[in-house]
Amino acid sequence: MQYAYQTPGPQGTLLLSRPELTWPIRPQDDAKIVKIELRLNGEPLAARYENGAVRATPATPLAPGSYTAECRVRFAPTQDDARVSWRFTVAPDATPSPPPPTAWAREALQAANQLRAGLGLAPLQLDSRLCGAAQAHASYLHKNNVIGHGEVPGKPGFTGDNPLARAQVFGYLASLAEDVSFADGSPEKIVRGLFAAPYHRLPFLRPGSLVFGAGNTGRSSGLLFGGDGVGGTTVSPYDGETGVPTTWRNDESPNPTRFWPQAPRVVGYPIVLAHYAGPNTVLNVERASLKTSAGAEVPCLLNTPARDTELHYACLLIPQAPLKPNTTYLVEVVAREVTRRWRFTTTGSPNDADFGPLDLHPDDLKLLGTVVTAERGKGVLQLRVTRAQGYAAPEKELTKPLTVTLRLTPSTRFVSESNRSGTVTLTPGLPLAVIVPNGPLDRPLNARSVILLR
């Protein structure tokens, strides 16, 4: 075979009536492409070979309906042909071009590029196709009161069951990564919140020229990163970075500390090394460490591709406890493919991840009510619950108040804006919000549990 190829597109139902038809195909050895023919419903369509693919765009918008594309590529010197055909449908409400990016998307782009600039990476370029796909998925999540990367056919706002399918609906066919969030806040707050989470930070760290899309409806937001980028190694925090947060509140799904069930909800700010060296890159980490500038070892949780199936080309180093303010730390990661040593300095003030309202983790349940009785010495808190909230769901009033007895442990954390020390008096009638892991309420509250003073 004189060529390597990938699936042509677009396929499925499109919301774009002037899509670019694409067939990724590359000659191998000494072969050259000498002729291209492309037909759409039997009619010739002018095509070109560009950036490793045959490409063609209809001169005028396509009418709603079904289409069959057929492509033939001839190679020299053998004069062999490669052929492919595929189908797609133009939806009745398709438009010639994607909707323009929203103001929310433009602010998200600015926030993302501020982060990439610090890392020494090229700025992302806003792509209206990815903005359309991200906005459509954010609307779907909001309408169906769910969170995640999938969609279910037949549900309100369905455009595709996965990020690639949704992007293709708007005419984008290349590789991409998606971040989604369920939280309140400005575009900058949403972007920075996703960046703080180590798995969701990875798309921000890819070197090269990438395209970007963003969308938001209510508390549902989505970011899309498109393109393969280039090879390279990125570390975060970056070498010499100052003002690094001391803490990270683990609201991420999947949970990067799932291998350690007793890991606290609030840990030190995660450290990430990502090494990009091709689509099949697997990072083989031999050792990793975090130390103070004085040489004191900092206990960390280490996630590598050898254990964590969410990782392929990266590793995570998560401090088990909040880092110290105004402190310089030294990081070392030694892998078979790359070795990096660098330093960063934390912010001078405690990070606010410990305090104020917390977003729920998918495994969490929030109970809202008032104290009935409390004996901290005996580890008992009795709460009269009037409202409850699950992940990606609004608070709901209980039909009938419920009295529950919670078993406190020394690791149970008490948090408020007005009393950051955690020294509080649990008097009867005191309003509380208790975040607990889903499951039987009569078990001891573990290190992930948080009691918020309202």
Side-chain angles (χ1 to χ4, degrees), residues 125-142:
Q125 302 299 317
L126 202 60
D127 188 294
S128 58
R129 300 167 299 176
L130 292 186
C131 285
Q135 184 58 54
H137 188 52
S139 297
Y140 172 91
L141 298 177
H142 178 74

Side-chain angles (χ1 to χ4, degrees), residues 31 74 101 182 185 264 280 321 357 384:
R74 176 161 295 175
F182 182 78
N280 298 317
R384 184 176 184 269

Side-chain angles (χ1 to χ4, degrees), residues 356-390:
L358 302 180
D359 292 322
L360 294 181
H361 186 273
D363 297 329
D364 287 346
L365 177 68
K366 181 162 74 173
L367 308 175
L368 298 100
T370 54
V371 173
V372 178
T373 60
E375 298 180 72
R376 292 184 68 172
K378 296 182 179 180
V380 175
L381 169 63
Q382 200 171 52
L383 187 70
R384 184 176 184 269
V385 179
T386 56
R387 301 177 68 83
Q389 180 184 4

Side-chain angles (χ1 to χ4, degrees), residues 20 30 139 162 171 175 177 186 189 194 221 230 266 277 289 313 320 324 353 360 377 406 450 453:
E20 182 181 64
D30 295 327
S139 297
N162 62 72
S175 60
S186 66
K189 179 183 176 183
L194 287 167
S221 305
V230 297
V266 175
S289 66
Y313 52 82
Q320 295 184 32
K324 295 179 180 179
L360 294 181
L406 304 174
V450 180
L453 309 182

Side-chain angles (χ1 to χ4, degrees), residues 46-220:
R48 66 193 187 280
Y49 187 78
E50 182 178 284
N51 296 328
V54 175
R55 303 176 187 275
T57 303
T60 59
L62 301 176
S66 299
Y67 292 85
T68 299
E70 300 171 285
C71 186
R72 183 177 71 168
V73 176
R74 176 161 295 175
F75 297 91
T78 62
Q79 301 302 307
D80 290 337
D81 289 345
R83 299 171 183 265
V84 72
S85 66
W86 69 97
R87 296 179 179 179
F88 62 88
T89 300
V90 175
D93 54 346
T95 57
S97 58
T102 63
W104 198 98
R106 295 186 183 280
E107 289 184 44
L109 172 73
Q110 183 177 8
N113 278 337
Q114 287 175 348
L115 294 168
R116 283 179 62 89
L119 296 165
L121 299 176
L124 303 166
Q125 302 299 317
L126 202 60
D127 188 294
S128 58
R129 300 167 299 176
L130 292 186
C131 285
Q135 184 58 54
H137 188 52
S139 297
Y140 172 91
L141 298 177
H142 178 74
K143 290 175 182 177
N144 295 281
N145 198 26
V146 294
I147 187 71
H149 300 285
E151 294 186 7
V152 178
K155 293 283 189 179
F158 174 84
T159 52
D161 59 7
N162 62 72
L164 286 169
R166 293 190 291 272
Q168 194 163 184
V169 165
F170 288 88
Y172 182 87
L173 303 177
S175 60
L176 56 77
E178 180 181 67
D179 281 354
V180 295
S181 171
F182 182 78
D184 290 318
S186 66
E188 181 180 11
K189 179 183 176 183
I190 298 301
V191 167
R192 290 187 174 273
L194 287 167
F195 185 87
Y199 291 139
H200 289 72
R201 195 184 312 176
L202 291 173
F204 291 90
L205 306 186
R206 184 176 289 275
S209 298
L210 306 177
V211 291
F212 176 81
N216 166 265
T217 302
R219 299 188 74 198
S220 300

Side-chain angles (χ1 to χ4, degrees), residues 417-436:
E417 282 289 351
S418 59
N419 190 337
R420 297 192 171 191
S421 68
T423 304
V424 296
T425 302
L426 299 178
T427 56
L430 180 71
L432 293 180
V434 183
I435 297 178
V436 298

